[in-house]
Amino acid sequence: MLVEQIRDDDNNNNSFSLDFLRKTSFALLQGYRMRNTKTEFVSCPSCGRTLFDLQETTAKITDATGHLPGVTVAVMGCIVNGPGEMAQTTLSN
């Protein structure tokens, strides 16, 4: 859909801004794990087993580590989801 919109926009000479195209391109490459240009965060959904405020903790960790491109950070709330998710990360809590 995005490609069609860019094609249609290009045909009408109403092109997207270069900043939008750059950010979108890098986000797509990051999503496909082809190029890491920003920090990736993995977090479990909070549930009844979580014994702390997961959203607040994740926000603090994001603020502290959001400047590290190519790093994957996992924030897990309990022992059930944690080990499997954290096995593929650079940093984990």
Side-chain angles (χ1 to χ4, degrees):
M1 185 165 67
L2 178 63
V3 173
E4 290 175 6
Q5 186 175 3
I6 291 172
R7 184 199 65 216
D8 293 344
D9 199 48
D10 190 43
N11 290 339
N12 294 327
N13 295 324
N14 296 324
S15 60
F16 290 101
S17 71
L18 290 177
D19 188 51
F20 170 79
L21 292 174
R22 183 183 58 79
K23 287 180 180 180
T24 303
S25 298
F26 281 129
L28 288 170
L29 291 171
Q30 177 104 9
Y32 283 109
R33 299 182 196 278
M34 295 176 73
R35 182 167 182 182
N36 292 327
T37 58
K38 35 185 186 172
T39 310
E40 183 174 1
F41 295 94
V42 179
S43 182
C44 67
S46 60
C47 66
R49 293 184 299 259
T50 304
L51 301 176
F52 61 95
D53 186 349
L54 185 63
Q55 287 80 17
E56 181 181 328
T57 302
T58 302
K60 288 179 183 177
I61 292 171
T62 300
D63 290 342
T65 60
H67 65 284
L68 304 170
V71 174
T72 303
V73 180
V75 183
M76 298 296 135
C78 70
I79 194 69
V80 175
N81 291 321
E85 297 292 336
M86 289 190 285
Q88 300 176 16
T89 63
T90 309
L91 301 170
S92 56
N93 177 13

